[in-house]
Amino acid sequence: MLSVLEQVRSGAMSPSDAAGQLSDLPYAEVAHAVGSTLIDHHRELRTGVPELVFGAGKTPAQIAGALGELARRGGGAIATRVDPAKAEALRALVPELVVHEAARIVALGAPGTRPAAAPIAVVCAGTSDLPVAEEAALVAEFLGAPVIRISDVGVAGIHRLLARLDAIRDAAVVIAVAGMEAALPSVLGGLVDRPLIAVPTSVGYGVSLDGLVALAAMLASCALGITVVNIDNGVGAAVAAVRIARLAVGERAR
Amino acid sequence: MLSVLEQVRSGAMSPSDAAGQLSDLPYAEVAHAVGSTLIDHHRELRTGVPELVFGAGKTPAQIAGALGELARRGGGAIATRVDPAKAEALRALVPELVVHEAARIVALGAPGTRPAAAPIAVVCAGTSDLPVAEEAALVAEFLGAPVIRISDVGVAGIHRLLARLDAIRDAAVVIAVAGMEAALPSVLGGLVDRPLIAVPTSVGYGVSLDGLVALAAMLASCALGITVVNIDNGVGAAVAAVRIARLAVGERAR
Amino acid sequence: MLSVLEQVRSGAMSPSDAAGQLSDLPYAEVAHAVGSTLIDHHRELRTGVPELVFGAGKTPAQIAGALGELARRGGGAIATRVDPAKAEALRALVPELVVHEAARIVALGAPGTRPAAAPIAVVCAGTSDLPVAEEAALVAEFLGAPVIRISDVGVAGIHRLLARLDAIRDAAVVIAVAGMEAALPSVLGGLVDRPLIAVPTSVGYGVSLDGLVALAAMLASCALGITVVNIDNGVGAAVAAVRIARLAVGERAR
Amino acid sequence: MLSVLEQVRSGAMSPSDAAGQLSDLPYAEVAHAVGSTLIDHHRELRTGVPELVFGAGKTPAQIAGALGELARRGGGAIATRVDPAKAEALRALVPELVVHEAARIVALGAPGTRPAAAPIAVVCAGTSDLPVAEEAALVAEFLGAPVIRISDVGVAGIHRLLARLDAIRDAAVVIAVAGMEAALPSVLGGLVDRPLIAVPTSVGYGVSLDGLVALAAMLASCALGITVVNIDNGVGAAVAAVRIARLAVGERAR
Amino acid sequence: MLSVLEQVRSGAMSPSDAAGQLSDLPYAEVAHAVGSTLIDHHRELRTGVPELVFGAGKTPAQIAGALGELARRGGGAIATRVDPAKAEALRALVPELVVHEAARIVALGAPGTRPAAAPIAVVCAGTSDLPVAEEAALVAEFLGAPVIRISDVGVAGIHRLLARLDAIRDAAVVIAVAGMEAALPSVLGGLVDRPLIAVPTSVGYGVSLDGLVALAAMLASCALGITVVNIDNGVGAAVAAVRIARLAVGERAR
Amino acid sequence: MLSVLEQVRSGAMSPSDAAGQLSDLPYAEVAHAVGSTLIDHHRELRTGVPELVFGAGKTPAQIAGALGELARRGGGAIATRVDPAKAEALRALVPELVVHEAARIVALGAPGTRPAAAPIAVVCAGTSDLPVAEEAALVAEFLGAPVIRISDVGVAGIHRLLARLDAIRDAAVVIAVAGMEAALPSVLGGLVDRPLIAVPTSVGYGVSLDGLVALAAMLASCALGITVVNIDNGVGAAVAAVRIARLAVGERAR
Amino acid sequence: MLSVLEQVRSGAMSPSDAAGQLSDLPYAEVAHAVGSTLIDHHRELRTGVPELVFGAGKTPAQIAGALGELARRGGGAIATRVDPAKAEALRALVPELVVHEAARIVALGAPGTRPAAAPIAVVCAGTSDLPVAEEAALVAEFLGAPVIRISDVGVAGIHRLLARLDAIRDAAVVIAVAGMEAALPSVLGGLVDRPLIAVPTSVGYGVSLDGLVALAAMLASCALGITVVNIDNGVGAAVAAVRIARLAVGERAR
Amino acid sequence: MLSVLEQVRSGAMSPSDAAGQLSDLPYAEVAHAVGSTLIDHHRELRTGVPELVFGAGKTPAQIAGALGELARRGGGAIATRVDPAKAEALRALVPELVVHEAARIVALGAPGTRPAAAPIAVVCAGTSDLPVAEEAALVAEFLGAPVIRISDVGVAGIHRLLARLDAIRDAAVVIAVAGMEAALPSVLGGLVDRPLIAVPTSVGYGVSLDGLVALAAMLASCALGITVVNIDNGVGAAVAAVRIARLAVGERAR
């Protein structure tokens, strides 16, 4: 912005041309069309996190195009919510893709060097919640944070959770993944002093309402200081946790 | 019924008169109108539990009338959901009433001798849940069951619950009362082998939806074998628990 | 726990080592990983009921692994919510499996000797509700309780229900299974003095909302003492009923 | 309409004037402004039922004005949903008003001679449902139908209902009023061959959702041929029943 | 019942045997098992309408069995909610079946002579609502009522509806079928004096919520006297209408 | 913005100072704090419509302050959702206020000269919907549009609506206000070719759900081209209509 | 209508024949049955917009028939919600069809000359919202309005939106298409003075509730003057926008 | 715990006594009954945050008791959700209380020295959201974090938000408070790289559903990395933010 203003001072640019450029600037620099999708290379500068391709509802060709454009600038790229059939089709298009089946993630290129981050604990209530937990873990690792994985510690066997508390306390921030009645974050929230991000999953049936009850139970928790993301949103939890984990080691994206 | 049929055999009653009597019988014997309310004295014979007056939406005069009619036959009578103003008005009408303010219950007459029952634990998550817990405890006692009260053992301080487990295990059946995210029954359900009845309360705000989320979370619990009653329904939980507690000492109402 | 403490007294173990062991103890003894699933052999000791494999959302291989590990210790094992295709695949993996098609259950090994239990009545409103009723019945039998099956006694033909009352009263506890408007438990609740567990089913269409209305109607019942489980949750009802039925014959798991 | 067309033929009216009159005709004849309310005297001709003033949300003056205008033409007039305070204020304005307190209805003038109608049974599940049942009964009587009142026959005491079946069968059409789980119409629907109109009430708490569950349960009933009106809508049920009851004696409004 | 009582008088039966028979009587006479389904031949006597097989969720074999048993006694039999694939499979099993594809109905045998009934108008808002309307029309005809079909008279082209009013008024009772915002019954309700049964359909998308909004709009209608059935429930509307239409010609089932 | 850039060219301002000013500009010019409320005088320039004070949840003093600040610049000011008690308190503070009781609006100062606008028809289904309709009408008039008021034309008396069609067609844009089942816009939408804005009201009870059903029915309407605003949102409908009505006479705010 | 009345005056038609014709007139002239569908050729005269075939739930043959009948009179015809498989089948039936795949629209014949209209901006938040946006754009163009397309300007990159404001302001009316939290219209509503129609899409997962939250958020917007259509209803938004855009150039359909 | 184990080693305590003490330990040390409320002094050690008294549903005496007990140990104490009447009553009981009226908070004693924390920005969309924002701000300050307050920056005037971005970026963590459609966090989430906690408020009417739509919109946001708390839960947001802000300066509670 200053460079445009300098040009105005020097007479190299007229005020009205400058007015036009100033409003286009942030966008023009970074937008790069891939088919009908605009890739926002500027986003990592602005928010500390690059675009992550949301694979649901996109064709293999669209995903491949987006990953290619993102990875072209270095730092690698990942797409989430890629089911096995789509992953297969993608691998046919881009053989060097790495597929993480359980997490429904595909990755292209080596993750770039990103700001340092403190460890993140991903704590998972039941085995059916694992895909969401693993999505969170892989995204956190892609963004540069070390991850401590703790699984199958649902509250119906509270001893299992208590036995893992020290491992959980080694992390700077905790992601708790649970479906059904989602009591795990409430119990954890009374036991640890770390920021705690709860991820409800759509695991359950009948009155579980596809995860809505887990979500609401987490929000209504009697334990203060729990924050929550959308149902099955492992990606969002990871991004939030990484922002915190960077702060914990004194890093900021800008 | 047999007596009617005997009369038919002896010719003392015509078959068509008998047909009429047989359909009216169960009702005619026990119905006794108090204003527009019919008191079903037969209910205790049929279901083991007498009528309990639901005070919400009734006038003090209606409550007083129903309690008087029920107590007239012995065994005492109670009304639930009686707020302080209504209790005051009732005491003006029936000075010998006993008022249990926290539980919103009024009682008339000494509880009768009812079938023996094993102890029932009433476990309460938070202090705001106490009115519902106390309603359950008093109704259980009125029906003849000893009650063990355990309060303020919400899961956000899990140690408090673990410290009281032995006391809880002294009961034959457990009533767990909780609002907000209602995680208490899930944790308890993995720790005890007793029948466990969960009572959601309307404690909470925002996404708690006046107890609907607590209710749904209890029903969606990952711990098997929990059964649930309506929101704030301490009475229903007590009746269910007493039926079980009587079985546990070999008693049945008939 | 006492054995660890004895070792501390004898000097065979240092206090700090003991502290570590004490928190891991309940978990370490019983956990046995089968792939990513942890089998909790300790659960039957703690809650009186072994793990029952929830087959929905698990692969045939995962189910087979879990059943094998559970049955290895004796007492047999069952998995629920196994649809016909999955049952076929399972039988290919484990030929000795027994498949109960209507109930969507597969069983491995002979059920062990479990605590004695009084009879349980499973009462079913309509033929569409039979899969859920049969799931409840088979799980109750697996856990050692005799079952009395009463079918097709919906309230739109009240005579059919009244004709079966004596059979229902032979049980110590009643499971009532109904979909649509789910009026069966309300009628039953006024006729029997046994503990009554209501199971709503997802049978119905339009305003039935996949069983939510049946569930809510059961919870809102005017008959006191009915308790309710999640929609289609035959397993949960069976576990709750068995805990009660054991009490009725003076048995407890520990 | 024919008279206007005759005038056109005779030349007494031009075609364009006739066009104007024809569209205004049905409205102009009957509208008579009372303050900002238009009284539709034509409605009884068109639908067989006069306007009934819905008192909720209207001031005493507005209700008095509307009743006066309606009664002016003969046949009397009634207003519903008039709470005690409003009824008191109305009686100050119009001393000759008759107040039916339990039904929340006020009436002005003698009901006119209306078409004959067969008897209507108004069957009520619990005493808390009585205000809605009485609203239905009084409106039906105002419209000229004899009413058979059957109260306190909820399904939790099924004998009471069975004992009253013959009285119910004396009616040509049945209105069943129930709150909570609203099982009464399902049971009745399997026992009688009359048209059956179900009225859910807002009686209940917690999961009853102010009558929504009663409404949905009635609509989801397993008994065919039940039709349903809005929650607490005794008026609507009465109007529907009267239309049927008139048919049953061969009457039609036109 | 009287015959049993006569036997008691004559000494041919002991009172206690009679007591047993009396409770089994209504059921034993009419129940006839077809596989796991009980056919209630008694229902037509009791309610004026025979069992109608609900085809959804039943196998072709179950439907064929039920239809055969019902038709065996004469009077024909029909099954509803039979999709094309199931109809094909049924025709392979029972070649003499008649398939009504648009209405998703299959029929076996000639409808019996049933009580006379006045004409019923089935009025349908849009072409997408036709399957439900046709289901209602065919069931009404099966039960012996003549049907007047009026289609494509949605309120967005109000002239189409007004042009058909005389045809609609030829009926004794009107069934109005509509989806989306379901305004048809409100407009009709202000124009006719016949009993009016509204059937909401699941036609629509987005905020239509699969017919819930159409249902609620019908129940909330400003036109008095409309009654409503479950979403897409053409059968229920037909049964209700036939009961009324029989009254209109002085017929009753018993 | 250009003036700042001119200063940069002339050297009167440094580029970095300009950068600071450019981001603050739109805000700094127009913000003027009144207590904790910021009045956005710029809004009318940007959107063509000045701030309208939403009175619900504000104290009389806050409303008076906001109105005073807005009116200070000329053009008058209004506040909506002012109940009678608050209006009384306001008039004590600001005696020159004009109170429109039915519409719950208070106005200060003469409305300024605003862009010309074509007539707007405000069509109202029932008398209970009048407060919302009058709110829309008064706001439209305040913003400079002539208003045609058409009341009490609900669809249950369709003739009343048809008789007023010509008056409605005199407007360039139509606002249709209706509660309960809200069928009015569907009928109107098939009769007029003007833009049609539907306003659901919270009039109704039971299944009306405080206006949610009226809202959903309007959105699900079978008549194309209807747009909808929030429940009871007469203000929003008026602003949208005025924007359209200005276009219809060739006016734009800028 | 006048011609019929003239005939009455001249004696060429009797008054009673005229009465019959007058009620049938609007309908008889334009109805033309294509199978069971009635094509309303009159609609464009009445509302300014011809019938647009809603393809969902119709067979290819039904769609082809309706398009053929509509196009026969000139002006072309389009069908919406035609998925790729159905489009393929349609093209086999009607080879000259034009298929717009992204918008799920098929068109037959050249659009006729329709009233002039000002430009409409279709602004789209994300690439997943494009099918709905393109549906709106193509329908607007079919109805004769020029369209300005602005894509991928979601609020999470607010610069992209600000950079396109001038292009948006070139339109007379704005359609804003957004899913998920649907914040786009709120931001736009504070920046432009044009009529703004918001279209929520079903894009999103979990708590998005298939577009219900986007819909509600648009209706609850803090920016005044936004109007909203049903979820994914690009057609309805286009029709509403075209009605406005015609007004903006002084055109009306009649 | 180690001290108990040391006593066992030294023989000062028997193993079985130790077993008893070990389970009671965490609880017994810290519990101190105040009436029926248990104050958990241990909580700050465990979770870094002391008990904060939730004033809704507690009597003034209960609040005063709890505050007194908490403040007795030093560090001060606060109660939230204290409405003006309750605050008045409290001040009569405890004159030295400080009342923060806008935030509905009362405080007793000077806040203790707590761990250092980086600045927290509390960003508020509208003036009606201020009470929740101020609750968050005061609780954060009580827990030792400096707070940057940014108010009235709703998205309908996006310039106001953009002008304050630099101030927002001075914080380590951002709390965004918004009601109605709650678009603020989505816009902010694309502009800052800090952890962002969104607090929905119950501000709004009609379709806002008392804050549920704001909550859902925040959870469905297209901007990654936003986490959310319950409606109006300023306390929970503050606790979560403080945990993060402490990490940002290298502090941990233990």
Side-chain angles (χ1 to χ4, degrees), chain D residues 93-122:
Chain D
L93 291 173
V94 191
E96 65 270 34
L97 271 182
V98 177
V99 177
H100 300 273
E101 197 171 323
R104 296 166 302 172
I105 282 181
V106 298
L108 181 63
T113 308
R114 292 206 159 82
I120 296 170
V122 177

Side-chain angles (χ1 to χ4, degrees), chain D residues 12-248:
Chain D
M13 190 181 293
S14 74
S16 67
D17 281 3
Q21 282 221 4
L22 283 174
S23 35
D24 285 344
L25 186 87
Y27 180 64
E29 266 177 9
V30 297
H32 186 109
V34 179
S36 62
T37 310
L38 295 171
I39 299 301
D40 182 358
H41 287 295
H42 198 224
R43 184 174 295 177
E44 186 154 11
L45 293 180
R46 228 162 52 231
T47 70
V49 174
E51 271 205 53
L52 306 167
V53 181
F54 185 72
K58 294 212 177 70
T59 65
Q62 287 174 319
I63 298 172
L67 288 176
E69 171 62 23
L70 281 163
R72 194 176 53 84
R73 302 259 183 130
I78 60 176
T80 59
R81 302 283 174 106
V82 178
D83 61 42
K86 205 176 276 185
E88 186 109 356
L90 266 166
R91 200 140 43 176
L93 291 173
V94 191
E96 65 270 34
L97 271 182
V98 177
V99 177
H100 300 273
E101 197 171 323
R104 296 166 302 172
I105 282 181
V106 298
L108 181 63
T113 308
R114 292 206 159 82
I120 296 170
V122 177
V123 184
C124 182
T127 51
S128 309
D129 304 314
L130 275 174
V132 176
E134 196 58 19
E135 182 187 89
L138 285 176
V139 170
E141 289 173 341
F142 174 75
L143 296 174
V147 170
I148 301 163
R149 287 167 172 83
I150 314 273
S151 295
D152 220 0
V153 290
V155 300
I158 198 77
H159 304 297
R160 293 184 288 187
L161 176 62
L162 297 179
R164 309 298 298 276
L165 272 183
D166 282 345
I168 294 170
R169 286 182 179 134
D170 285 343
V173 50
V174 181
I175 294 174
V177 182
M180 302 168 97
E181 84 282 43
L184 176 60
S186 291
V187 175
L188 260 182
L191 292 169
V192 301
D193 66 341
R194 306 298 184 276
L196 177 51
I197 297 165
V199 189
T201 71
S202 52
V203 169
Y205 64 93
V207 82
S208 294
L209 297 176
D210 296 321
L212 285 173
V213 165
L215 170 71
M218 286 166 164
L219 288 162
S221 172
C222 57
L224 283 179
I226 298 172
T227 62
V228 186
V229 297
N230 196 359
I231 298 162
D232 291 336
N233 188 8
V235 174
V239 170
V242 167
R243 289 184 175 188
I244 297 169
R246 288 177 181 170
L247 283 179

Side-chain angles (χ1 to χ4, degrees), chain F residues 97-112:
Chain F
L97 269 183
V98 177
V99 177
H100 301 273
E101 196 171 323
R104 298 165 300 172
I105 282 180
V106 297
L108 181 63

Side-chain angles (χ1 to χ4, degrees), chain A residues 40-54:
Chain A
D40 182 358
H41 287 296
H42 197 224
R43 183 174 297 178
E44 187 156 9
L45 292 180
R46 229 165 48 232
T47 70
V49 175
E51 269 205 57
L52 306 167
V53 181
F54 186 71

Side-chain angles (χ1 to χ4, degrees), chain E residues 7 9 20 49 72 74 79 84 86 109 152 158 169 211:
Chain E
Q7 285 178 276
R9 184 168 57 175
V49 174
R72 194 174 54 83
K86 204 175 276 186
D152 219 1
I158 198 77
R169 287 183 179 134

Side-chain angles (χ1 to χ4, degrees), chain F residues 6 79 146 152 169 198 205 238 252:
Chain F
E6 288 292 346
D152 220 2
R169 286 181 178 136
Y205 64 94
R252 295 204 184 166

